[in-house]
DNA sequence: CGAACTCGGACAACTTCTGTCCGAGACTCT
DNA sequence: AGAGTCTCGGACAGAAGTTGTCCGAGTTCG
């Protein structure tokens, strides 16, 4: 039971992209979070494949959110990066062995698979209840509005536009 | 987000052990489920380490549940086999990069970590709500009382006691 | 028309999980 | 009491997934 580490990066990137109005390159996001740019690109590609962000190529290219942050849930990001298959996959071992249950009696999943599926549903429901907009609002509540504003300024700032300040 | 495959085996074994009154060897459980006996032994060792089952060595040895099935939850088995660490581990990337949040402002987990922790709690709560006894009762409801009774007979039967019937 | 910058997928290295084996310990029978 | 047989327990390879990196295709701007 382990979640891919890239999920954390992707979620942070989505929150950051909330503040941006122009496309943000993957290299810029990697510099902001101090992570491997090459690997972060892979996660952003996954988000692009899932339709959560749009990629713009060319000189002023980068990534932009496709919809409003209120319409993107944490579950969307997790499913895009980590895959949408459930954590528990039933092997149907009840149909194996000397006392195997006949296939005709297996009209519904076995009790174990049902319990695990229920837990998985609860997990997904909790992730679906929180949107990227909620996360951005929580950041404002925790650190004040200056935090996200500072990120927006840094993204549009000169730290990569060509002129270095410091 | 993937759960160790041995969890399914361990859960089935716990349900089977509900019907047994004497110690059941790992090899017998492996034969019943038609799985690798060597690998199933590893899962049972994990259950033993977690205190869910007791191992009896010697000629008539095997595994026995330590408590009543009502007192063993699915979460106990999952934690014993797959580990009890949460699926999401926060790397604290908010404290990295050029706009790093100062450590003194990080009194509570970041919003992303909080949301993931909430989902994890919901998942665990769902697994904690179902006990091995509940699973055994569901098996009775699905396939009738003859299923578990047949397993009990097979466990105590001659298919390994020394005299072969067929 | 040339050049620079971007994304996208293909290529290794590592950690984790899966599967297997043999040795230590305990009970039973002689 | 002593040998034998059966059991668990941990140590040993193989396979798979994840982590990390690289270079090529496409697009926009000068």
């Amino acid at each position: 039971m382990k979640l891919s580490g890239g999920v954390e990066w992707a979620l942070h990137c989505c929150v950051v992209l909330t503040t941006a109005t122009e496309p943000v390159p993957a290299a810029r996001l990697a510099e902001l979070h101090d992570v491997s740019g090459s690997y972060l690109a892979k996660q952003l590609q996954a988000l692009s494949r899932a339709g959560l962000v749009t990629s713009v190529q060319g000189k002023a290219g980068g990534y932009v959110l496709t919809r409003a942050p209120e319409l993107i849930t944490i579950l969307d990001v997790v499913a895009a990066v980590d895959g949408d298959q459930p954590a528990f996959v039933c092997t149907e071992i009840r149909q194996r062995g000397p006392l195997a249950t006949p296939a005709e009696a297996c009209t519904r999943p076995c009790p174990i698979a049902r319990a695990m599926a229920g837990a998985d549903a609860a997990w997904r429901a909790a992730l679906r209840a929180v949107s990227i907009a909620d996360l951005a609002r929580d950041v404002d509540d925790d650190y004040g509005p200056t935090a996200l504003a500072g990120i927006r300024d840094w993204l549009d700032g000169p730290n990569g536009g060509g002129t270095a300040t410091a």
Side-chain angles (χ1 to χ4, degrees), chain A residues 16-17 19-30 32 44 54 56 60-64 154-156:
Chain A
V16 169
L17 286 178
T19 70
T21 56
E22 299 176 6
V24 182
R28 181 63 71 94
L29 289 169
L32 174 62
L44 292 171
T54 307
V56 179
Y63 289 97
V64 191
W154 185 87
L155 286 178
D156 298 346

Side-chain angles (χ1 to χ4, degrees), chain A residues 158-159 163-166:
Chain A
N159 290 334
T163 53
T165 50

Side-chain angles (χ1 to χ4, degrees), chain A residues 128-149:
Chain A
R128 207 193 328 264
V130 183
S131 70
I132 300 298
D134 295 330
L135 292 177
R137 187 160 36 75
D138 288 348
V139 171
D140 277 343
D141 291 348
D142 281 11
Y143 313 109
T146 59
L148 287 179

Side-chain angles (χ1 to χ4, degrees), chain A residues 28-52:
Chain A
R28 181 63 71 94
L29 289 169
E31 185 189 0
L32 174 62
H33 295 112
D34 189 23
V35 296
S36 163
S38 308
Y39 190 36
L40 181 63
K42 187 187 288 290
Q43 321 300 340
L44 292 171
Q45 285 171 28
L47 294 180
S48 173
R49 230 172 288 154
L52 299 180

Side-chain angles (χ1 to χ4, degrees), chain A residues 1-8 78 82 123 127:
Chain A
M1 181 66 178
K2 187 170 148 289
L3 205 53
S4 175
V7 171
E8 185 182 7
V78 170
D82 198 68
W123 183 70
L127 293 184

